[in-house]
Amino acid sequence: MTAQFRLLVRPKLRRELAMLEHAAASQPGSLRDREFRALKLGLKALAEGREDEYAGKRLGYSASHYDLRDCAELKVPVVPESRHGHDLGPSHRLIYREFEADDGGPPYREAVCFAPRSSDLPFQIAGARLGREVGQRVPELVHLPNHRPTFQRGAAEPTGPPRLPLPPDLRKALAAASNVAPAHGAVMPRPSPGRLAQRRIDKPCSREL
């Protein structure tokens, strides 16, 4: 399927993907192998605009949660989970955001984190990586409607994230990078080791799927 988005992968997630890939190569069929394959497919779905093929929804904010109104989740099945004979649904979450492009090309999607859903771990990781604080509203998101975090099934909520203007930090990082994908591309090519070493750890990185 033709790619519709240029995909950005945050540095920590990119490193986690590399570690999962290494573990998958040495331990075929293991949990890490299944996580690697599921994450790779999830990232590909984001680039191709196929999020509706996964259960997922736009995230929200409450006084006991991070303000993630600019994010959405893919509910990614990795391992079957059940309680008292009841299927608990997809075991992992892939959290992402979406931004307009400044160059007239396809919009960007930024993959923030991928983790098992137990104990709200993906949302805790996403909030920390985005510099958010629990119970604190993000001023830049004040114009967005709030979808309170809910565990209700079948709720009529938006699936994808709101498309926002490219934030200054991402714009600066992309302008500084020499490997920004052309307008017709969706996934940025893998950076060379030399260039990767020169980047600050908090800048978004790209990953070839």
Side-chain angles (χ1 to χ4, degrees):
M1 185 173 180
T2 303
Q4 299 182 31
F5 297 88
R6 284 177 283 185
L7 187 65
L8 305 175
V9 179
R10 293 187 73 87
K12 288 185 178 180
L13 180 56
R14 182 185 56 77
R15 289 195 295 272
E16 290 167 358
L17 179 59
M19 288 189 291
L20 287 175
E21 183 176 16
H22 178 76
S26 60
Q27 305 170 32
S30 66
L31 173 60
R32 297 295 175 256
D33 183 18
R34 298 178 69 173
E35 287 181 323
F36 169 66
R37 296 177 186 278
L39 175 54
K40 190 174 179 180
L41 289 174
L43 292 174
K44 186 174 177 62
L46 291 185
E48 295 179 351
R50 294 185 290 104
E51 64 274 9
D52 285 345
E53 295 180 9
Y54 290 77
K57 64 183 179 183
R58 185 176 298 183
L59 302 181
Y61 162 79
S62 76
S64 58
H65 294 80
Y66 289 100
D67 189 348
L68 297 176
R69 284 176 288 172
D70 55 338
C71 298
E73 65 175 0
L74 290 189
K75 298 182 179 181
V76 182
V78 177
V79 293
E81 294 184 331
S82 63
R83 183 181 295 121
H84 306 302
H86 175 66
D87 181 16
L88 297 179
S91 59
H92 287 56
R93 300 291 185 268
L94 175 56
I95 310 297
Y96 68 105
R97 304 190 292 172
E98 187 173 307
F99 303 105
E100 294 282 3
D102 290 340
D103 60 1
Y108 294 98
R109 279 185 167 174
E110 181 191 40
V112 177
C113 73
F114 175 74
R117 62 173 174 80
S118 178
S119 301
D120 286 347
L121 182 61
F123 314 112
Q124 295 176 28
I125 295 174
R129 289 184 181 175
L130 295 174
R132 314 279 167 87
E133 294 185 18
V134 172
Q136 298 295 316
R137 297 179 185 270
V138 177
E140 293 80 7
L141 307 181
V142 67
H143 65 289
L144 296 176
N146 183 35
H147 300 274
R148 290 179 58 83
T150 176
F151 296 99
Q152 295 180 358
R153 295 180 180 271
E157 299 180 356
T159 300
R163 186 176 299 175
L164 301 178
L166 197 64
D169 59 334
L170 283 180
R171 184 182 294 108
K172 183 177 180 180
L174 290 169
S178 62
N179 66 332
V180 176
H184 62 274
V187 183
M188 295 182 180
R190 189 194 306 266
S192 67
R195 291 192 181 277
L196 182 59
Q198 295 172 9
R199 292 186 176 179
R200 290 180 55 190
I201 193 171
D202 58 347
K203 288 185 179 179
C205 291
S206 58
R207 173 82 183 188
E208 186 178 21
L209 296 181

